[in-house]
Amino acid sequence: MISVEEHRATVTELLGTRPAAELPLADCAGLVLAKDVHASVSLPPFDNSAMDGYAVRSVDVAEATEDSPVELPVREDIPAGRTDVPVLLPGTAHRIMTGAPLPQGADSIVMVERTDAGAERVRIFTSTAPGSHIRRTGEDVGVGMVALSAGTVLGPAQLGLASAVGMDRLAVHVPPRVLVVSTGTELVLPPQELRHGQIYESNSVMLVAGLRALGCRVESVRSVADDVDQFRAAIEPRLADADLVVTSGGVSAGAYEVVKDALTGAGVRFAKIAMQPGGPQGYGRWNGVPVVTLPGNPVSVLVSFEAFLRPAVLTSLGHTGVDRQHVRARLTETLESPKGRRQFRRGYYTHSAGQVTGLVGPRGGPGSHLLAAFTQANCLIVLPEDVTEAPEGSEVDVLLL
């Protein structure tokens, strides 16, 4: 059997790194920057007022107090956006708004709250030091500086900064177009009535949701019958529009394993991974398109997504922190695990103030069909390959979801 680490590395290598393309800022949220962004302007691009108030020469108001205010004529109004800013003459004031350019000759701003707010003449009740309430050119970002580094995940603040330094498009790693395929003659789509021996299809719903949460553009083909010709006819015409194909089901060792039967010899390899659940896996290229094949049981699908697909997709998109947070926790009950396989058990983790180590207990049994238990879990308990029993109270690795 292949180790979990080896298969993860294989899937990650298969997906590679997504190419970069320039997209409008509005389409870049959540994506990873592919090239450094250099500021074409300084931030702020000019000295400006940090307050609504009056631009003055500090020497003109050096003697101002509450009891003995200094009165100055107001020569100009300077709202934000004014471009023809006149020089401030000695012994005068300019009424100025937040963000408006500092007039030449002024070295300080007096807040409007420390004045009588006069429009033609203003009484100022405080002295002010040179530089007070002034935003200096380039104090945030200097022209030519790297404002955003390649590898940055683009959230609201990052996109706002990109626009502020003059960008309207950014080079980002473009998310893949993923085709999700669920197989199984027994699968029926809700709300169609079930017959004995049939079940409702859920794997594609989970995979589409998980992949879209990573930024992928996803389409799905649900409930492909266990027939090789039907499988190929349903999928091959769509390969040209896909950057990745993810299948569920049809990869085990029994009969009617349609994915394995259709893709063996077509560029896809199948292997057994030393893990529970999720042992049967496959990977390769079908007509040049990367293919990742997952088992069919729903818990196996979700565990495989967490162990292999999620980190590989995030890596391909330029992310560096692709792992879920790992912590140590003490078990609230004894767990057993098959020797030679890494077991992933659904669990619920708690950590109270004052606790050195958190607590974790299982949710549901180890069965790969117990999907309801997964909805009650907030973590995966990871038992190593050499552990067959983890006693109550022992510490284990926990993967927080």
Side-chain angles (χ1 to χ4, degrees), residues 78-339:
I78 309 176
R82 182 170 178 177
T83 58
D84 58 333
V85 180
V87 174
L88 177 73
L89 299 177
T92 67
H94 289 178
R95 189 165 62 169
I96 195 168
M97 307 303 141
T98 302
L102 185 73
Q104 183 180 342
D107 68 355
S108 186
I109 304 296
V110 178
M111 294 187 297
V112 68
E113 292 86 350
R114 304 307 302 274
T115 74
D116 67 354
E120 296 183 359
R121 297 186 67 84
V122 61
R123 299 173 73 207
I124 297 173
F125 299 101
T126 183
S127 61
T128 181
S132 293
H133 307 305
I134 294 174
R135 301 165 176 166
R136 293 299 183 185
T137 302
E139 71 176 47
D140 191 11
V141 177
V143 64
M145 288 178 55
V146 175
L148 294 168
S149 300
T152 297
V153 180
L154 298 169
Q158 291 77 19
L159 293 172
L161 179 59
S163 183
V165 297
M167 307 296 294
D168 67 339
R169 302 175 71 85
L170 292 174
V172 294
H173 295 287
V174 179
R177 301 165 298 173
V178 185
L179 179 64
V180 169
V181 183
S182 63
T183 66
T185 302
E186 76 278 14
L187 301 179
V188 174
L189 303 186
Q192 181 179 338
E193 185 177 352
L194 290 178
R195 298 170 60 188
H196 184 70
Q198 295 179 326
I199 60 174
Y200 286 126
E201 195 277 326
S202 61
N203 286 347
S204 71
V205 176
M206 297 187 296
L207 287 170
V208 168
L211 289 163
R212 283 182 176 164
L214 303 181
C216 300
R217 295 164 288 173
V218 191
E219 293 186 359
S220 64
V221 179
R222 304 178 68 182
S223 306
V224 178
D226 291 323
D227 179 272
V228 169
D229 291 335
Q230 289 186 43
F231 177 82
R232 288 176 173 161
I235 308 307
E236 280 186 311
R238 297 173 176 260
L239 292 178
D241 296 322
D243 301 309
L244 171 65
V245 176
V246 179
T247 70
S248 66
V251 295
S252 294
Y256 302 102
E257 303 294 344
V258 64
V259 175
K260 197 171 187 179
D261 294 342
L263 300 185
T264 297
V268 178
R269 298 179 60 187
F270 297 88
K272 191 78 170 177
I273 313 302
M275 63 187 291
Q276 183 196 58
Q281 303 279 340
Y283 60 92
R285 291 182 179 272
W286 183 15
N287 292 347
V289 179
V291 177
V292 176
T293 71
L294 308 179
N297 281 313
V299 175
S300 298
V301 167
L302 287 178
V303 169
S304 299
F305 176 83
E306 289 292 335
F308 308 123
L309 198 54
R310 181 181 180 275
V313 169
L314 287 174
T315 300
S316 77
L317 289 172
H319 292 268
T320 53
V322 301
D323 292 317
R324 298 285 196 182
Q325 182 181 358
H326 284 76
V327 298
R328 297 281 289 176
R330 288 186 294 108
L331 282 172
T332 59
E333 62 181 82
T334 298
L335 296 180
E336 295 182 351
S337 180
K339 184 177 182 180

